[in-house]
Amino acid sequence: MSIKTVSTAKSHGGVQSVHSHASEACGCDMTFAVFVPPQAEEGPCPVLWYLSGLTCTHANVVEKGEYRRMAAELGLIVVCPDTSPRGAHVPDEKDNWQFGSGAGFYVDASEAPYDTNYRMYSYVVEELPRIVSANFPADMNRQSIFGHSMGGHGALTIALRNPKRFRSCSAFAPIVHPSDADWSARAFERYLGPNQADWRTHDACSLIEDGYRFSEFLVDQGKADSFLEDGLKPWLLEEACRKAGIPLKLRMQPGYDHSYFFISTFMDDHLRWHAQRLGMLEGDVT
Amino acid sequence: MSIKTVSTAKSHGGVQSVHSHASEACGCDMTFAVFVPPQAEEGPCPVLWYLSGLTCTHANVVEKGEYRRMAAELGLIVVCPDTSPRGAHVPDEKDNWQFGSGAGFYVDASEAPYDTNYRMYSYVVEELPRIVSANFPADMNRQSIFGHSMGGHGALTIALRNPKRFRSCSAFAPIVHPSDADWSARAFERYLGPNQADWRTHDACSLIEDGYRFSEFLVDQGKADSFLEDGLKPWLLEEACRKAGIPLKLRMQPGYDHSYFFISTFMDDHLRWHAQRLGMLEGDVT
């Protein structure tokens, strides 16, 4: 479980670093980013997982997410995994941004040839937490998770399946019902097989229908997001949460698109939402 | 003077946009970014110019500078020009990051073949302000300027030569004496000719020696910056300012490098420094 440091830089009083390691889950080298706040010099800090969207690596949120100032103020470790296995031997389709590299969808693929490498669920839920715990001053008893778009889907599904591990979950413009969206349904079919019953444990709305529960969700969604009507459909999550009695704070944000200009705008709100639920912040947040 | 909008996105309540236009000064199409804060809906806002460093375009600071949150809070328009002329007909050296594309050094070249296009001083000081004034809700009576590295050099020299236009000037890790630094001296020779007397109006330390004055400067410099000893040498500015009686707040920041991880950390401080001197903020700042 040795890791190699790719880069490290002081930022906002803490340290932003990038690391690579040989992944057992994914059968390839994987890269991830970690921000360690200055409070880590005093003792272990809670861990907030950020899962990125289609086409992204760890780098997009590191460069554009604007999370370090507030994470340093609050004392949060922020871990940003990659979005898929990568490498010359990893099956992929170079011209398809909705499948393969950059499009792991946080599932464990069951179908050949993808089942060897496309195991992002196991990677994010099992392998990477062990690596983070072993190599960083992380309080693994206090974890939360959030993400964007495909990563919002990842955060919602992983939280629903692991409600005792995560104190809170939020998302920016998440794919809430990937089984029924064009861009994800075709990937699900190839990763998970044609039987849609097998997709339900990787679909937030289906998980809720099937009885999975989480304490509450915060979701921000830009109203000028070009993917809103066809792919994201947050009203499906709203309906599922309403029926299941899960509190959902869905904030439709006028004028905002799907980009990191949107994400960075509401980043502080999400960090404070998680910090409060991790017991780091008093009072009413968002 | 018509401009073409390349992209636009809502961010932090304001609008981040990128534009291109045919530049008379540079004899090519030029691109620049503008952030307009929400206060612009009420009336014209002060303008803060950010000049970028070697190898950069407008995009680096737009993506990594983390200036929008505070600019939106304060009500500042932030304009980010490109760092050189660009285009198939613009003379350049593809493999040289210290000359040509991305390395305009904010001078007006006197030497052929560079004198046709490499006129970044005139572009930033004369042409682009006219374009900004004509196309954005800008209060051109309230302007300030800052920049990074080569752009810090640009900010210092432009402020010294135009002290009545700019209310304040600051820099991140500026090149303070480009005539005497390897990476810039060779570029100066090719842009400005072999006579070093002709370089002095494009060199902050030389300008101060020659009697140019500015009210005060704020400079942040990372102590772990790999360019510190050979290229940046902020102590030369300190000495020049001391002799000239120009107040300089030089903050040597332990552990910080030359990157946007450093810049973004101290961005808020610089925005507040400028806002106070633009009459937008009461009390003591930094």
Side-chain angles (χ1 to χ4, degrees):
Chain A
M1 284 219 307
S2 72
I3 66 172
K4 181 181 150 196
T5 299
V6 176
S7 69
T8 183
K10 188 169 178 181
S11 187
H12 291 279
V15 178
Q16 177 66 63
S17 57
V18 177
H19 309 270
S20 69
H21 67 104
S23 165
E24 288 177 29
C26 296
C28 64
D29 283 351
M30 293 293 286
T31 303
F32 64 98
V34 178
F35 177 70
V36 175
Q39 292 85 341
E41 291 175 15
E42 310 294 320
C45 293
V47 178
L48 178 59
W49 295 83
Y50 179 87
L51 304 184
S52 294
L54 286 164
T55 77
C56 290
T57 68
H58 66 281
N60 302 67
V61 69
V62 168
E63 295 177 355
K64 304 176 186 176
E66 303 189 14
Y67 58 84
R68 281 177 292 272
R69 187 187 57 83
M70 184 58 75
E73 184 178 319
L74 296 167
L76 277 169
I77 290 175
V78 181
V79 182
C80 308
D82 201 351
T83 55
S84 75
R86 297 178 194 271
H89 66 289
V90 173
D92 187 23
E93 293 182 351
K94 296 296 175 205
D95 297 330
N96 187 351
W97 64 278
Q98 299 171 330
F99 184 79
S101 280
F105 278 97
Y106 306 100
V107 304
D108 283 348
S110 56
E111 304 301 289
Y114 308 109
D115 54 344
T116 305
N117 305 105
Y118 287 83
R119 300 180 52 77
M120 287 299 293
Y121 182 84
S122 292
Y123 176 68
V124 168
V125 173
E126 292 167 19
E127 185 176 19
L128 194 51
R130 287 199 299 270
I131 288 170
V132 167
S133 176
N135 291 279
F136 299 91
D139 177 0
M140 302 304 280
N141 290 317
R142 290 197 288 170
Q143 296 184 58
S144 290
I145 191 165
F146 70 149
H148 170 233
S149 196
M150 177 183 75
H153 143 73
L156 293 169
T157 53
I158 288 172
L160 284 161
R161 293 173 66 177
N162 301 273
K164 291 186 178 164
R165 183 187 304 181
F166 298 102
R167 302 274 184 99
S168 50
C169 173
S170 74
F172 304 101
I175 305 175
V176 302
H177 190 28
S179 310
D180 193 40
D182 269 357
W183 56 11
S184 42
R186 292 161 69 186
F188 271 32
E189 185 164 3
R190 298 173 69 187
Y191 289 138
L192 302 171
N195 184 354
Q196 294 200 16
D198 298 333
W199 306 1
R200 297 183 67 81
T201 54
H202 290 294
D203 182 307
C205 287
S206 302
L207 282 165
I208 294 170
E209 278 178 22
D210 292 347
Y212 289 78
R213 291 294 179 266
F214 197 76
S215 51
E216 57 182 333
F217 297 119
L218 167 65
V219 171
D220 273 312
Q221 171 64 58
K223 291 182 82 167
D225 186 328
S226 57
F227 301 110
L228 178 57
E229 296 289 333
D230 293 331
L232 299 171
K233 304 178 188 172
W235 45 86
L236 297 179
L237 180 66
E238 196 166 38
E239 178 68 5
C241 284
R242 191 187 58 74
K243 285 183 181 168
I246 300 174
L248 165 67
K249 180 173 285 222
L250 172 61
R251 308 193 306 184
M252 300 299 292
Q253 304 286 4
Y256 287 93
D257 64 17
H258 198 65
S259 74
Y260 274 91
F261 293 115
F262 156 65
I263 297 169
S264 60
T265 298
F266 300 104
M267 180 58 76
D268 281 6
D269 287 354
H270 285 242
L271 294 181
R272 289 169 57 82
W273 164 277
H274 292 292
Q276 192 188 47
R277 282 146 186 86
L278 287 161
M280 308 166 73
L281 203 59
E282 302 278 318
D284 191 31
V285 172
T286 64
Chain B
M1 284 217 309
S2 73
I3 66 173
K4 181 181 150 196
T5 298
V6 176
S7 68
T8 183
K10 188 170 178 182
S11 188
H12 291 278
V15 178
Q16 177 66 64
S17 57
V18 177
H19 309 269
S20 69
H21 66 104
S23 165
E24 287 177 30
C26 296
C28 65
D29 283 351
M30 292 293 286
T31 304
F32 65 98
V34 178
F35 177 70
V36 175
Q39 292 85 342
E41 291 174 17
E42 310 295 322
C45 292
V47 178
L48 178 58
W49 295 84
Y50 178 87
L51 303 184
S52 295
L54 286 164
T55 77
C56 290
T57 68
H58 66 281
N60 302 67
V61 69
V62 168
E63 295 176 356
K64 304 177 185 177
E66 303 189 13
Y67 58 82
R68 282 177 291 272
R69 187 187 57 83
M70 184 58 76
E73 186 178 318
L74 295 167
L76 276 169
I77 289 176
V78 182
V79 182
C80 307
D82 201 350
T83 56
S84 76
R86 298 177 193 272
H89 66 291
V90 173
D92 186 23
E93 293 182 353
K94 295 298 175 204
D95 298 330
N96 188 350
W97 64 277
Q98 300 171 329
F99 185 79
S101 280
F105 277 97
Y106 306 102
V107 304
D108 283 348
S110 57
E111 304 301 288
Y114 308 110
D115 54 343
T116 305
N117 305 106
Y118 287 83
R119 299 180 52 78
M120 287 300 292
Y121 182 83
S122 292
Y123 176 68
V124 168
V125 173
E126 292 167 20
E127 185 176 19
L128 194 50
R130 286 199 301 270
I131 288 170
V132 167
S133 176
N135 290 280
F136 299 91
D139 176 359
M140 302 305 280
N141 290 316
R142 290 196 289 169
Q143 297 185 57
S144 291
I145 190 164
F146 70 149
H148 170 232
S149 196
M150 177 182 75
H153 143 74
L156 293 169
T157 53
I158 288 172
L160 282 162
R161 292 173 66 177
N162 303 274
K164 291 186 178 165
R165 183 187 304 180
F166 298 102
R167 302 272 186 100
S168 51
C169 173
S170 73
F172 304 101
I175 304 175
V176 302
H177 191 28
S179 308
D180 192 40
D182 268 358
W183 56 9
S184 42
R186 292 160 70 185
F188 271 32
E189 186 165 3
R190 298 172 69 187
Y191 288 138
L192 302 172
N195 184 356
Q196 293 201 16
D198 297 335
W199 305 1
R200 297 184 67 83
T201 54
H202 290 295
D203 182 306
C205 286
S206 302
L207 282 165
I208 294 171
E209 278 178 23
D210 292 347
Y212 288 78
R213 293 293 178 265
F214 198 75
S215 52
E216 57 181 334
F217 297 118
L218 167 65
V219 170
D220 273 311
Q221 171 64 56
K223 291 181 82 167
D225 186 328
S226 58
F227 300 111
L228 177 57
E229 296 289 333
D230 293 332
L232 300 171
K233 305 180 186 173
W235 45 87
L236 298 179
L237 182 65
E238 198 167 38
E239 178 67 5
C241 285
R242 191 187 58 73
K243 286 184 183 169
I246 300 174
L248 165 67
K249 181 172 284 222
L250 172 61
R251 309 193 306 185
M252 299 298 293
Q253 303 286 3
Y256 287 92
D257 65 17
H258 199 65
S259 74
Y260 273 92
F261 292 116
F262 155 65
I263 298 169
S264 61
T265 298
F266 300 103
M267 180 59 76
D268 281 6
D269 287 353
H270 284 243
L271 294 181
R272 290 169 58 82
W273 165 279
H274 292 292
Q276 193 190 43
R277 283 147 185 85
L278 288 161
M280 308 165 73
L281 203 58
E282 302 279 318
D284 191 32
V285 171
T286 64

